[in-house]
Amino acid sequence: VQLQASGGGLVQAGGSLRLSCAASGRTFSMNYMGWFRQAPGKERDLVAAVSRGGGTTYYVDSVKGRFTISRDNAKNTVYLQMNSLKPEDTAIYYCAQGSFGPMLDPRRYDSWGQETQVTVSS
């Protein structure tokens, strides 16, 4: 499986970006999906996750109410809509997928997309 992330860029505080992650293969709908981010000098953290069917989502507290994760299984794509962006959202973002175990456990994600940089200026 290959994951191709896109949509990062430079935006002013308060602005919006939408990240997309397209997956190859025919098993997309069998996997839960997550977006992670890693800020300079920090560990990579799970930001948002969505279940296989899209009915269950998770958000880290710092992005609740501002970010929305969604998926389109017909297009093998997961999205992260980011609104009201803050400078502290600046990080490298990654999409990832997992097949087994709880989707909130970062160790369960076994396929990773390439990085996409998000920079929010103040």
Side-chain angles (χ1 to χ4, degrees):
V1 174
Q2 289 186 327
L3 302 175
Q4 183 77 26
S6 61
L10 173 64
V11 65
Q12 289 188 330
S16 298
L17 284 173
R18 189 176 81 154
L19 304 183
S20 299
C21 177
S24 64
R26 295 176 289 178
T27 61
F28 180 75
S29 63
M30 298 172 64
N31 301 308
Y32 48 81
M33 301 296 297
W35 285 98
F36 292 73
R37 68 184 181 188
Q38 186 168 21
K42 295 187 177 181
E43 295 185 351
R44 186 167 58 187
D45 294 323
L46 178 62
V47 175
V50 61
S51 60
R52 295 169 180 82
T56 300
T57 56
Y58 159 82
Y59 300 95
V60 70
D61 285 346
S62 59
V63 308
K64 284 181 180 178
R66 301 188 298 119
F67 289 13
T68 302
I69 188 171
S70 61
R71 65 189 296 162
D72 185 337
N73 285 345
K75 295 182 178 179
N76 280 13
T77 302
V78 61
Y79 306 96
L80 186 67
Q81 178 67 43
M82 305 185 293
N83 299 329
S84 301
L85 282 161
K86 303 176 181 180
E88 50 263 44
D89 295 317
T90 295
I92 297 173
Y93 284 71
Y94 303 85
C95 63
Q97 71 173 31
S99 303
F100 302 100
M103 72 176 187
L104 300 189
D105 184 350
R107 298 169 298 179
R108 298 295 185 175
Y109 288 81
D110 53 15
S111 295
W112 294 82
Q114 87 285 4
E115 61 188 53
T116 186
Q117 176 71 47
V118 171
T119 302
V120 184
S121 62
S122 57

